[in-house]
Amino acid sequence: MFRLYDTRLRAVTEIQPARRGQLRMYTCGPTVYRPAHVGNLRAYLLPDLIRRNAERHGLSVVACQNITDVGHLADDDESDPQGEDKVLAAAAATGTSARQIALRYEDEFRASCDELNLLPPDFAPRASESIETMIDMVRRLIDSGHAYPVPTGSVYFDVRTFADYGAISGNRLEALRPRSERTPHQSDGGVDADKRFHADWALWKAAPADRELTWPTPWGTGFPGWHIECSALSLTSLGDVIDIHTGGIDLRFPHHEDERAQSDSLAGREVVRHWVHCEHLLFEGRKMAKSTGNVVLLADLAERGLDPLAARLAFLEHRYRQQLNLTWDTLTAADATLRRWRERVADWADEPSRPMCAEYWARVAGALDDDLDTPAALRALRELAADEQIPAGSKFETFAAADRILGLDLVRLVGRPRPAPPPLPEGAEAKLAERAAAREHQDFGASDRLRTELAALGVSVVDTPEGQAWTVSPATP
Ligand code: AMP
Ligand code: ZN
């Protein structure tokens, strides 16, 4: 079968689904209060690759990815002292309703996923539509002694009833300091005082009934905590044996620890067999995040004339659990590689058909099975493209097969006219030729000078394994 790095077991592990022939996978979906940036989207490429590779092995995949449209507080990532709901805050800032905000960004999220060729999950439940299930689960956790209501109307999970807490992230309960010590500026609005233990978290949060997105319960009016959403939506959509659970690396703690404690306490068993996490995307050296101010959207790529799938290829150049530092240069280079490969694939398709090249295919498939080693798979494809011993028809079949998992639309130009290259400003073509010649003669001084001169003309040049590539800035007349 195939192997993935299991965060809880801290090892690359053979994935054997619990049910014969079927893989059940849950992914923490987006919080729909702003557009998803390419860092978020990298986290969703992971389940897409797992799915495509599992299907290659003949498994039928049942995937669930929730939509968080309520309950994700800004202070769950410890940045907002008020603990404001992210969707409600966005609604207040724009003078619309929470529902409108959520629907708008849910729709934009789906569009971004489509642009990146991310296959849609089988279930995409909205948190706000499963509140009754969450309330029922909170009640069951209280009845079984894992949770307790407090006079304010909130309900807390009693973490000391879950002995194995911390196994995913390596955080030991006794070593966890109270949050107020970790972030002295922060207050939990006075609710903290009712907690039995500082690491307990709210399953249900009391709130005034006139606040949007609140529901009545036996304990009081309020809204669910973010962590119970994922327990409720995963258990109801996939049952209590889930083969793989994915998410961004920052979700290991507290989100996944808390979700695991809740789900396992409800089910009376280990629900998730493998936790798999995607490392962060950095942009020009810093973690991509709204708070860092270095957010890049797929629309920003389009604005620079880059194919959105250039982001997908740039992601694939690194393994999912390596940090990846994206720059406009790497995106431009990926865009050029995509164009070049699509043209070559179309050329090869014109030649007599031949079977796939078994040796290169084994390398591609083996790399994917080895903890999604996509850089190794791409290296094999680059070598295949350059291998003069392999007939064009075989190259075509092998690239087409690899693309069913890589999802780069490499067969886009087969049987179709080639798109015209973007028109170059006056004088740029000669400089590009001069620069290519300079690089051939390893005259890097001249090559750098020409790069600067081309930039002044609005042409940005990058060097890729396939040679120099360029984009023409749309501002150029
Ligand atoms: P959110 O919509 O904020 O709940 O985040 C959605 C997903 O994106 C989560 O799985 C996060 O872990 C992930 N994520 C957030 N920022 C980054 C980043 N810079 N690189 C990779 N994943 C990220
Ligand atoms: Zn989740």
Side-chain angles (χ1 to χ4, degrees):
M1 208 52 96
F2 58 93
R3 295 173 296 288
L4 290 170
Y5 184 81
D6 181 316
T7 312
R8 184 171 66 92
L9 302 177
R10 287 163 185 63
V12 175
T13 308
E14 185 78 20
I15 306 295
Q16 288 293 349
R19 299 170 191 78
R20 218 180 138 83
Q22 192 188 70
L23 184 88
R24 297 196 174 212
M25 175 164 63
Y26 185 84
T27 298
C28 292
T31 307
V32 281
Y33 70 107
R34 48 128 176 86
H37 55 65
V38 296
N40 300 134
L41 294 169
R42 184 191 188 200
Y44 299 112
L45 175 61
L46 171 60
D48 181 71
L49 291 175
I50 295 175
R51 172 179 205 131
R52 288 168 183 261
N53 198 43
E55 285 175 349
R56 182 174 66 78
H57 283 279
L59 293 174
S60 97
V61 177
V62 186
C64 176
Q65 184 173 294
N66 67 306
I67 300 284
T68 298
D69 57 357
V70 59
H72 192 166
L73 300 191
D75 92 340
D76 275 330
D77 57 28
E78 303 190 48
S79 58
D80 186 316
Q82 303 307 323
E84 208 176 8
D85 182 301
K86 292 182 175 191
V87 177
L88 279 180
T94 52
T96 49
S97 68
R99 185 156 173 76
Q100 267 177 312
I101 286 286
L103 285 176
R104 172 179 161 193
Y105 289 116
E106 179 185 320
D107 189 53
E108 286 192 17
F109 176 73
R110 282 182 215 273
S112 293
C113 290
D114 285 349
E115 282 190 278
L116 267 194
N117 277 347
L118 302 177
L119 299 171
D122 305 271
F123 299 93
R126 295 183 186 128
S128 65
E129 292 169 3
S130 292
I131 303 294
E132 288 308 317
T133 313
M134 295 176 210
I135 294 173
D136 184 55
M137 286 185 176
V138 174
R139 186 185 50 71
R140 280 165 50 206
L141 286 169
I142 295 174
D143 290 349
S144 59
H146 288 289
Y148 56 95
V150 297
T152 52
S154 290
V155 180
Y156 285 98
F157 189 90
D158 185 346
V159 68
R160 288 173 298 181
T161 65
F162 189 71
D164 199 32
Y165 189 81
I168 302 171
S169 61
N171 278 313
R172 282 172 305 116
L173 208 48
E174 56 282 9
L176 276 181
R177 286 186 295 131
R179 188 181 248 219
S180 55
E181 275 177 35
R182 283 183 278 150
T183 50
H185 65 279
Q186 202 157 32
S187 95
D188 269 356
V191 180
D192 247 359
D194 296 317
K195 282 195 207 177
R196 291 181 190 163
F197 184 67
H198 62 79
D200 293 351
W201 62 90
L203 298 171
W204 190 262
K205 305 194 190 197
D210 60 355
R211 179 186 179 276
E212 205 183 349
L213 298 177
T214 53
W215 292 263
T217 71
W219 320 288
T221 298
F223 59 93
W226 176 37
H227 316 309
I228 194 70
E229 289 179 10
C230 279
S231 288
L233 298 171
S234 60
L235 287 168
T236 47
S237 302
L238 299 176
D240 63 7
V241 181
I242 297 173
D243 296 299
I244 296 178
H245 191 311
T246 79
I249 192 85
D250 54 312
L251 301 189
R252 272 178 316 183
F253 179 83
H255 186 55
H256 288 164
E257 294 291 7
D258 294 359
E259 185 187 327
R260 174 170 174 258
Q262 296 157 177
S263 297
D264 290 9
S265 300
L266 282 161
R269 54 166 297 138
E270 189 79 51
V271 172
V272 172
R273 304 174 79 222
H274 304 286
W275 293 88
V276 184
H277 292 98
C278 175
E279 250 297 348
H280 276 141
L281 179 84
L282 314 183
F283 192 74
E284 293 177 339
R286 300 169 72 200
K287 181 193 163 189
M288 183 173 288
K290 205 175 165 191
S291 52
T292 317
N294 63 351
V295 158
V296 175
L297 309 181
L298 282 186
D300 297 324
L301 269 72
E303 214 161 86
R304 289 180 180 237
L306 301 176
D307 190 311
L309 291 175
R312 185 165 172 130
L313 176 56
F315 297 162
L316 294 170
E317 300 275 12
H318 293 75
R319 214 191 218 142
Y320 71 94
R321 61 188 172 91
Q322 287 176 305
Q323 273 197 356
L324 188 175
N325 184 20
L326 207 62
T327 62
W328 284 115
D329 275 1
T330 47
L331 286 167
T332 305
D335 184 78
T337 301
L338 265 188
R339 285 173 207 275
R340 175 104 187 97
W341 276 358
R342 285 180 186 148
E343 283 172 12
R344 298 205 71 190
V345 167
D347 289 344
W348 295 330
D350 274 349
E351 301 292 324
S353 58
R354 290 278 185 281
M356 233 179 6
C357 173
E359 181 202 327
Y360 281 102
W361 175 246
R363 278 180 59 192
V364 172
L368 293 168
D369 288 347
D370 179 18
D371 193 23
L372 292 172
D373 192 351
T374 49
L378 293 174
R379 268 197 305 280
L381 289 176
R382 286 193 162 99
E383 280 176 41
L384 169 62
D387 190 335
E388 286 169 10
Q389 306 300 314
I390 309 291
S394 290
K395 290 184 180 178
F396 168 70
E397 287 299 342
T398 315
F399 266 70
D403 198 38
R404 283 196 274 279
I405 294 133
L406 302 178
L408 296 168
D409 282 359
L410 295 181
V411 297
R412 188 183 282 179
L413 297 180
V414 173
R416 294 200 172 77
R418 304 290 154 80
L424 283 167
E426 184 96 28
E429 194 162 350
K431 284 187 194 298
L432 283 167
E434 214 185 307
R435 187 174 182 273
R439 290 192 68 77
E440 215 158 279
H441 296 108
Q442 312 220 336
D443 181 354
F444 298 114
S447 137
D448 287 350
R449 175 179 50 78
L450 286 157
R451 189 183 208 249
T452 312
E453 289 176 18
L454 282 157
L457 295 174
V459 180
S460 58
V461 188
V462 291
D463 297 299
T464 77
E466 286 80 24
Q468 74 178 0
W470 59 88
T471 51
V472 183
S473 113
T476 309

